[in-house]
Amino acid sequence: KHGVLSRKSHADMDGKRTPRGRRGWKKFYAVLKGMILYLQKDEYKPDADLSEVDLKNAVRIHHAMATRATDYSKRPNVLKLKTSDWRVFLLQAPSEEEMMSWIFRINLV
Ligand code: I3P
């Protein structure tokens, strides 16, 4: 699955709140492949062509959990992704349908 997603980092690897200065929204081209959600700067690229930054932004979603971000109302179609290493991301999809589809696919892994 792939498509445009905006990301906001809410908590870092130890579960601590992401500090100010790194809490902004950023738009990515997301590609879900196997157990990894790639958050790429640009459109689809084969793995071999991913930049260092793209690889750094990739999220392991094995044992992650995606839910609708019911406690976040500033933007529509936002899901909350909790990873197994305690990171928390908010991800905004372009539509309700896309958000539901991402939630379903992430939780299937
Ligand atoms: C953050 C940025 C986010 C905002 C966040 C700010 O600043 O303005 O858009 O979240 O508020 O901290 P920075 O880019 O300097 O990290 P919202 O869009 O959800 O308001 P927050 O600290 O209340 O999450």
Side-chain angles (χ1 to χ4, degrees):
K1 174 166 177 66
H2 50 98
V4 173
L5 283 180
S6 293
R7 179 205 67 191
K8 175 183 172 175
S9 180
H10 181 70
D12 293 340
M13 229 166 254
D14 47 9
K16 285 195 195 121
R17 183 184 166 89
T18 300
R20 282 198 157 273
R22 286 201 294 109
R23 299 183 59 83
W25 284 96
K26 204 172 167 194
K27 197 170 176 178
F28 291 96
Y29 192 76
V31 180
L32 179 57
K33 223 185 288 171
M35 295 186 190
I36 302 186
L37 178 65
Y38 293 95
L39 294 171
Q40 304 173 185
K41 196 165 167 287
D42 314 293
E43 282 263 349
Y44 176 79
K45 287 180 219 149
D47 294 358
D49 282 352
L50 291 176
S51 69
E52 205 143 317
V53 176
D54 288 343
L55 291 172
K56 208 192 75 197
N57 282 326
V59 182
R60 279 180 58 85
I61 56 165
H62 189 47
H63 291 158
M65 192 177 68
T67 53
R68 185 194 287 264
T70 48
D71 52 354
Y72 188 84
S73 53
K74 289 183 187 174
R75 290 182 176 213
N77 313 319
V78 175
L79 67 92
K80 184 182 278 187
L81 175 65
K82 294 188 181 186
T83 69
S84 60
D85 56 12
W86 306 104
R87 289 191 283 176
V88 180
F89 297 106
L90 298 181
L91 298 172
Q92 183 189 25
S95 68
E96 159 98 15
E97 194 187 0
E98 272 293 290
M99 178 197 69
M100 294 306 290
S101 165
W102 280 111
I103 289 174
F104 178 77
R105 291 294 301 272
I106 287 169
N107 290 336
L108 210 59
V109 173

